[in-house]
Amino acid sequence: MAPHKLCMIPGPIEFHEDVLSAMATPATSHVDPLFVPVFGETIEMVREVVQSKEAQPFVTSGSGTLGWDMMVNLLEAGDEVLVITTGYFGDHFAECLEVYGAKITFIRTEPGATATAEVIAEALAKTKFKMVTVTHVDTSTGVLSDIKAVAAQVKAASPETLVVVDGVCSVGSEEIKFDDWKLDVVITGSQKGLGVPPGLSIVIASQYALSVFKGRKSPVPVYYSNWNKWLPIMNAYEARKPAYFATPAVQLVYALHTSLKLILSQPLETRFKKHADVAADFRQFVRGLGLKTVAQTEAGAANGMTAVWLPEGVEVAPLVGGLAGKGVQIAGGILQGLAGKYFRIGHMGISVIDDDRQHIQKVKDALVSTFAELGYKN
């Protein structure tokens, strides 16, 4: 790969050379006999990454945000939704659902904290919810929510309630056992842990979620996001038959197919442990600089990214610019009122799996030298 500035933000991440080569395939019809099985295999591998046997993936052109929009297939005006939010993206997921008439109850946490079981139990005792949403990793804070525990608590209190996980910043870097944990929906995008350029929205729905969708009383009030349009397409491609509703992003599907094969070439447990080990080491490095992570606990810290509070006297723009000058791109904060108080770094995909690339060490070295240049002394 040609020398370039390392993209070490929490997505898009660095892409494998084989993935980029797959993007360079010649113009190909979306119903070409050579493409149809590639799309079919891609759908099947998406299911494998979240460790499901029966869930239905939807792979469509769009950002991860389109997955939020697709929840309109499960909601009808007036439905009660509990939103467990740990940052910017949980808040905006709720904003999306409100557009379609959902009545939102929030569980909000202070920056860096996770929702407690006691608070969740209190909310579940007060209201019968159609859906509970939880952001697995909120990209704004680097907070990791325990979706296994949340799902178990919700299903114990109300088996009919849908458990919807925003996994945009977790799929591919965090363990997800879709079937075992009784999840109903996982939403993600291509550009983070799955290691593919932006442009694919990926939603995985349980058979129970599909039954809720099929049993709705009112028509789905959208066109492009409508599962009535997309379900026959996904089923056809998985059966190795061409079908058409809207043109898929053919080259991105080729890229996703390539990346998923790379991901599944080793046991998922090995991949997730490597992400956890590298993340723990990076957080220790941060503490060694005298800095604090936004995530307040180790258990509540993401394995694919880290958000770090800035020390007194250091501003985010010079820090980001200083690292960029050394060939490393990081991100500032995005929490309202706190955006200038912290920075964020991604550590997922090939930057974690392939030690020979030395991506993480380059980030560490660039941070140390840039902080020194900005006058910070630990």
Side-chain angles (χ1 to χ4, degrees):
M1 188 183 299
H4 64 286
K5 183 166 60 176
L6 284 180
C7 191
M8 301 300 291
I9 66 174
I13 67 169
E14 284 290 312
F15 307 125
H16 194 283
E17 292 82 357
D18 292 352
V19 172
L20 294 175
S21 294
M23 287 285 292
T25 53
T28 304
S29 166
H30 49 285
V31 294
D32 189 297
L34 296 177
F35 173 70
V36 171
V38 171
F39 201 173
E41 288 174 12
T42 300
I43 293 166
E44 291 163 356
M45 288 190 288
V46 166
R47 192 180 286 120
E48 288 185 60
V49 165
V50 297
Q51 301 183 73
S52 177
K53 299 291 186 185
E54 297 180 348
Q56 176 61 58
F58 295 86
V59 180
T60 57
S61 302
S63 73
T65 307
L66 177 62
W68 292 351
D69 223 51
M70 280 198 172
M71 295 308 96
V72 68
N73 289 280
L74 299 172
L75 292 175
E76 301 185 62
D79 281 346
E80 298 278 357
V81 177
L82 177 64
V83 173
I84 303 170
T85 176
T86 52
Y88 176 97
F89 290 96
D91 292 346
H92 285 73
F93 193 177
E95 182 180 76
C96 173
L97 300 181
E98 283 183 314
V99 169
Y100 298 112
K103 296 172 65 177
I104 305 294
T105 298
F106 280 103
I107 292 178
R108 285 193 167 98
T109 62
E110 66 178 11
T114 54
T116 65
E118 292 75 18
V119 172
I120 295 171
E122 184 179 344
L124 293 173
K126 288 181 179 177
T127 306
K128 177 74 171 180
F129 293 103
K130 173 73 167 290
M131 176 185 292
V132 173
T133 75
V134 56
T135 310
H136 197 184
V137 172
D138 199 297
T139 315
S140 69
T141 57
V143 169
L144 173 69
S145 292
D146 186 345
I147 60 171
K148 178 183 179 182
V150 170
Q153 185 174 9
V154 171
K155 292 297 186 181
S158 176
E160 302 83 15
T161 298
L162 294 160
V163 176
V164 175
V165 175
D166 179 340
V168 171
C169 197
S170 69
V171 173
S173 59
E174 306 282 356
E175 181 179 57
I176 298 175
K177 293 188 174 181
F178 192 100
D179 292 351
D180 290 352
W181 297 350
K182 294 181 171 54
L183 307 178
D184 291 303
V185 176
V186 170
I187 298 165
T188 194
S190 53
Q191 75 276 13
K192 297 184 188 268
L194 293 178
V196 176
L200 291 178
S201 177
I202 300 163
V203 172
I204 304 104
S206 69
Q207 291 301 314
Y208 173 64
L210 291 181
S211 73
V212 171
F213 157 66
K214 292 172 182 176
R216 61 182 295 127
K217 297 182 177 69
S218 61
V220 179
V222 292
Y223 187 72
Y224 183 72
S225 300
N226 194 321
W227 285 354
N228 284 309
K229 302 291 187 182
W230 285 115
L231 190 56
I233 306 302
M234 297 299 116
N235 290 340
Y237 275 103
E238 195 165 359
R240 309 302 191 262
K241 298 175 182 177
Y244 177 73
F245 163 55
T247 305
V250 172
Q251 276 65 36
L252 281 170
V253 172
Y254 272 118
L256 179 59
H257 181 269
T258 299
S259 189
L260 288 170
K261 288 187 77 172
L262 289 168
I263 289 169
L264 294 169
S265 67
Q266 63 175 181
L268 286 172
E269 294 81 2
T270 303
R271 179 180 181 85
F272 298 141
K273 184 178 186 304
K274 186 64 182 290
H275 277 79
D277 290 346
V278 170
D281 175 76
F282 191 80
R283 290 192 297 272
Q284 185 60 39
F285 162 77
V286 166
R287 288 189 288 269
L289 294 177
L291 305 177
K292 292 182 178 180
T293 62
V294 174
Q296 295 180 7
T297 66
E298 280 291 288
N303 294 312
M305 65 161 292
T306 300
V308 184
W309 294 114
L310 285 164
E312 192 73 29
V314 176
E315 296 183 354
V316 69
L319 179 68
V320 172
L323 267 81
K326 297 175 180 62
V328 176
Q329 183 68 59
I330 66 168
I334 55 173
L335 279 177
Q336 187 173 5
L338 295 171
K341 303 293 186 182
Y342 70 105
F343 62 96
R344 297 172 297 141
I345 290 173
H347 35 77
M348 45 187 136
I350 61 170
S351 296
V352 167
I353 297 300
D354 190 347
D355 293 329
D356 292 340
R357 296 178 188 268
Q358 291 288 295
H359 289 178
I360 306 302
Q361 189 58 50
K362 289 175 184 176
V363 173
K364 291 178 178 179
D365 293 344
L367 275 171
V368 169
S369 58
T370 302
F371 272 125
E373 290 165 6
L374 296 175
Y376 171 67
K377 296 179 180 179
N378 179 13

